[in-house]
């Protein structure tokens, strides 16, 4: 054994344990039973069998074990944004696309093209930038991967500015925040703006977070470690207290997470201008009726402008092959064009054809150009497709690579259009646009939505 290290030989790894024992001991706490004179026994922890504990100290350990169930935060509401609750409507497991016959595949493509009739197939390019990132974009120290991320973040901020979403009195909620880079740049863009709050929603613990470095007192960063499926924004203390308008943002919000985020914003975050928290108006005499009516009219108009619970939504879409019919917000749109859960299942799998053609090239390039930003925060989800997912070999002879790419793009567009219709029906002016070049990211579509000027959103609780 190495001097100063545990003397226990780990048979499975064919080496001595590398832990440092307490002074005067030969073994670490894990392997200390080797030198125990009594018969104390170590057993696997019932909460996490990856570590062991003395049997006679089990109850004490369970109270402080890091794997114990933590108390739920106040904003945790089970499945509040989950969507479909009727299990009967959830399709049974379907056969893989590669197992479909040629006729079945052709019928699916016919249905896809029929449902896509009348849709805008060519999205507008809205590739913008923002002054906040100019210095970083011109920094020669950035590698190609970091530069691509910066270009995407700059365009997202440019689109937010064009929609007048970068302003005071806002709470920016970043869904799938990861390290929090998008919120960081929004904060940089709002350096001289007061009363700004950031909520970073991420269900997993994250290393190398950037929000902890923000010391400026004008804006506040807070992390919500919770699955979007269970997040009730109404119950987040800072939003309950300050009644701020919310701007939902996200960069490469993967698959069903986009649908959960939209439902979280549009349905579970109810308006704070509906009179729930307002004091009743004092009684007035009949002579004041005219004055009251005019004042109320003016107040209502100002309320329409000032009291929008969700001021805007800006989300870079990603990974349509990971969407889920249960969570999908565009189910009504699919049904209106004669489609259901079975077609949705195949379309979401086929959507990966839009990007899988570049999979091998992209992966090779990424391995030689890794940076800290990509290594620690894998945002380019298009690089994660497997060969089985793309079906590049199994479908050879039925569709060419170019035809599969077009079908995949059509599947993504149809799924995204369902999201647009969902937002429009709830009083939002929603749109899709290309926010960056495909050479920067194959997942280059941005969903934006702001309250329609002619219709106040009627949010359901």
């Amino acid at each position: 054994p190495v001097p100063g290290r545990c003397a226990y030989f780990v048979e499975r790894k064919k080496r001595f344990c590398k832990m440092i024992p307490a002074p005067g001991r030969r073994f670490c706490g894990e392997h200390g039973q080797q030198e125990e004179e009594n018969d104390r026994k170590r057993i696997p922890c019932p909460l996490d069998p990856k570590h062991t504990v003395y049997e006679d100290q089990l109850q004490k350990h369970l109270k402080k074990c890091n794997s114990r169930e933590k108390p739920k935060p106040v904003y945790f509401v089970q499945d509040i944004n989950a969507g479909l609750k009727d299990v009967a409507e959830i399709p049974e497991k379907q056969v893989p696309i590669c197992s479909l016959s040629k006729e079945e595949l052709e019928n699916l493509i016919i249905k896809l093209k029929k449902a896509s009739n009348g849709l805008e197939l060519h999205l507008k390019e809205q590739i913008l930038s923002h002054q906040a990132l100019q210095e970083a974009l011109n920094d020669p120290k950035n590698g190609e991967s970091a530069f691509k991320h910066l270009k995407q973040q700059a365009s997202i901020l440019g689109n937010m500015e064009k929609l007048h979403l970068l302003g005071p009195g806002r709470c920016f909620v970043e869904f799938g925040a990861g390290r929090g880079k998008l919120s960081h740049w929004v904060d940089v863009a709002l350096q001289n703006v007061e009363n700004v709050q950031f909520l970073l929603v991420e269900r997993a613990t994250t290393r190398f977070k950037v929000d902890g470095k923000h010391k400026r007192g004008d804006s506040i960063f807070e992390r919500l470690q919770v699955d979007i499926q269970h997040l009730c924004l109404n119950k987040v203390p800072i939003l309950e207290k300050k009644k701020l308008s919310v701007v939902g943002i996200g960069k490469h919000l993967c698959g069903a997470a986009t649908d959960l985020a939209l439902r979280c914003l549009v349905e579970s975050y109810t308006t704070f201008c509906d009179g729930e928290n307002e004091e009743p108006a004092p009684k007035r005499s009949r002579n004041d009726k005219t004055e009251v009516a005019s004042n109320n009219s003016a107040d209502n108009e100002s309320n329409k402008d000032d009291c929008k619970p969700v001021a805007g939504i800006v989300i870079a879409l990603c990974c349509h092959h990971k969407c889920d019919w249960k969570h999908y917000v565009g189910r009504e749109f699919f049904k209106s064009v004669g489609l259901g859960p079975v077609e949705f299942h195949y379309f979401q799998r086929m959507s990966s054809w839009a990007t899988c053609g570049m999979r091998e090239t992209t992966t090779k390039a990424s391995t030689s150009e890794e940076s800290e930003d990509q290594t620690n925060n894998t945002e380019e989800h298009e690089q994660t497709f497997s060969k089985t997912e793309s079906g590049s070999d199994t479908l050879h002879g039925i569709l060419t690579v170019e035809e599969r790419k077009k079908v995949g793009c059509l599947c993504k567009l149809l799924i995204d259009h369902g999201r647009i219709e969902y937002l429009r029906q709830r009083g939002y002016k929603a749109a899709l646009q290309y926010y960056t070049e495909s050479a920067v990211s194959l997942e280059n579509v941005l969903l934006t939505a702001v309250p329609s000027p002619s219709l106040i959103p009627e949010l359901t609780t």
Side-chain angles (χ1 to χ4, degrees):
V2 179
R5 301 282 177 158
C6 178
Y8 182 81
F9 186 78
V10 185
E11 185 65 33
R12 182 172 60 85
K13 298 184 178 181
K14 303 300 181 185
R15 62 166 174 79
F16 285 95
C17 174
K18 294 182 178 181
M19 298 299 291
I20 300 174
R25 295 194 176 255
R26 294 183 59 229
F27 299 96
C28 66
E30 181 75 9
H31 304 120
Q33 69 268 29
Q34 300 297 317
E35 62 174 353
E36 289 290 334
E37 296 179 355
N38 54 26
D39 295 329
R40 293 182 73 190
K41 179 183 177 183
R42 291 186 74 87
I43 59 173
C45 174
L47 299 177
D48 182 6
K50 292 180 181 178
H51 65 272
T52 62
V53 59
Y54 283 117
E55 189 173 25
D56 57 0
Q57 290 186 339
L58 177 60
Q59 295 307 315
K60 181 179 179 182
H61 170 80
L62 292 177
K63 293 178 181 178
K64 61 180 181 180
C65 179
N66 288 333
S67 299
R68 71 191 186 280
E69 186 176 358
K70 311 293 192 304
K72 302 296 184 189
V74 291
Y75 46 78
F76 181 98
V77 178
Q78 185 72 36
D79 293 330
I80 187 172
N81 305 313
L84 187 64
K85 294 179 174 60
D86 184 5
V87 182
E89 196 176 336
I90 300 174
E92 297 179 2
K93 189 174 183 180
Q94 305 295 321
V95 297
I97 294 176
C98 59
S99 300
L100 295 175
S101 66
K102 184 177 180 180
E103 290 73 24
E104 288 174 323
L105 183 60
E106 287 175 344
N107 286 334
L108 276 173
I109 295 175
I110 290 172
K111 286 184 177 182
L112 173 66
K113 291 180 177 179
K114 182 179 178 181
S116 303
N117 282 339
L119 300 186
E120 180 57 56
L121 302 182
H122 302 286
L123 303 182
K124 182 173 66 174
E125 278 196 355
Q126 199 88 317
I127 302 173
L128 306 176
S129 190
H130 196 279
Q131 187 62 35
L133 289 95
Q134 289 309 305
E135 184 178 345
L137 285 167
N138 296 327
D139 188 349
K141 295 180 181 179
N142 286 320
E144 185 175 347
S145 177
F147 180 69
K148 287 181 177 181
H149 285 291
L150 289 168
K151 285 193 72 174
Q152 294 173 69
Q153 290 155 347
S155 184
I156 291 173
L157 260 68
N159 277 276
M160 291 176 68
E161 186 173 52
K162 186 171 183 178
L163 294 171
H164 308 291
L165 297 178
L166 296 177
R170 298 274 167 83
C171 177
F172 296 88
V173 183
E174 183 179 357
F175 295 93
R179 294 172 60 193
K181 277 293 188 72
L182 184 56
S183 291
H184 163 76
W185 289 117
V186 172
D187 184 53
V188 172
L190 297 172
Q191 282 187 353
N192 300 318
V193 176
E194 297 180 351
N195 194 21
V196 176
Q197 168 79 31
F198 291 90
L199 294 177
L200 281 68
V201 182
E202 178 60 63
R203 65 182 178 182
T205 55
T206 308
R207 300 174 67 198
F208 308 108
K209 297 185 287 289
V210 298
D211 44 294
K213 300 177 183 178
H214 289 265
K215 305 298 183 184
R216 188 166 60 87
D218 295 340
S219 58
I220 303 171
F221 278 72
E222 181 181 347
R223 276 197 173 255
L224 307 180
Q225 189 174 340
V226 62
D227 194 310
I228 305 171
Q229 183 171 333
H230 313 300
L231 172 61
C232 179
L233 287 177
N234 272 348
K235 297 188 176 183
V236 176
I238 192 71
L239 292 178
E240 273 190 319
K241 179 181 179 183
K242 291 193 174 182
K243 309 298 183 187
L244 299 174
S245 289
V246 161
V247 177
I249 59 176
K251 178 173 177 284
H252 289 176
L253 193 55
C254 192
T258 293
D259 299 298
L260 295 172
L262 293 179
R263 195 174 282 109
C264 176
L265 291 164
V266 174
E267 294 186 34
S268 69
Y269 187 51
T270 55
T271 176
F272 50 78
C273 297
D274 56 5
E276 288 182 8
N277 300 318
E278 295 177 1
E279 295 181 3
K283 293 183 178 180
R284 294 177 180 267
S285 64
R286 293 184 178 182
N287 296 333
D288 293 336
K289 277 187 177 179
T290 306
E291 184 182 349
V292 170
S294 61
N295 287 343
N296 285 346
S297 176
D299 289 343
N300 289 339
E301 288 300 318
S302 64
N303 283 344
K304 286 182 181 180
D305 294 332
D306 300 334
C307 295
K308 296 180 177 68
V310 179
I313 301 170
V314 180
I315 294 175
L317 304 171
C318 182
C319 295
H320 296 70
H321 65 285
K322 290 186 178 180
C323 290
D324 191 321
W325 178 256
K326 175 182 177 182
H327 303 311
Y328 182 51
V329 295
R331 291 193 304 270
E332 293 304 317
F333 164 73
F334 256 64
K335 292 175 182 177
S336 70
V337 292
L339 302 175
V342 174
E343 290 82 7
F344 179 83
H345 166 82
Y346 287 117
F347 291 165
Q348 51 118 177
R349 308 308 291 179
M350 291 158 63
S351 69
S352 64
W353 295 353
T355 53
C356 67
M358 296 290 289
R359 178 182 54 82
E360 292 183 5
T361 305
T362 309
T363 305
K364 288 178 183 176
S366 67
T367 54
S368 61
E369 298 166 358
E370 276 193 347
S371 67
E372 181 191 2
D373 190 61
Q374 185 165 333
T375 306
N376 299 322
N377 186 21
T378 305
E379 295 180 281
E380 298 296 344
H381 296 179
E382 65 266 25
Q383 297 173 7
T384 64
F385 295 124
S386 65
K387 204 157 193 172
T388 305
E389 190 69 54
S390 69
S392 55
D393 293 333
T394 55
L395 292 174
H396 181 68
I398 299 177
L399 294 171
T400 66
V401 172
E402 193 59 33
E403 286 172 336
R404 287 201 299 273
K405 184 177 178 181
K406 289 180 180 179
V407 169
C409 289
L410 206 55
C411 290
K412 290 162 73 76
L413 181 65
L414 192 67
I415 292 171
D416 289 338
H417 190 77
R419 291 163 169 167
I420 294 297
E421 286 299 313
Y422 168 82
L423 291 168
R424 287 174 178 169
Q425 289 175 9
R426 283 154 179 79
Y428 287 84
K429 183 181 179 182
L432 298 168
Q433 53 265 316
Y434 293 119
Y435 77 103
T436 192
E437 301 91 347
S438 58
V440 173
S441 175
L442 295 176
E443 297 282 14
N444 61 341
V445 175
L446 188 72
L447 182 152
T448 61
V450 292
S452 175
S454 61
L455 184 63
I456 299 299
E458 295 180 1
L459 304 184
T460 58
T461 56

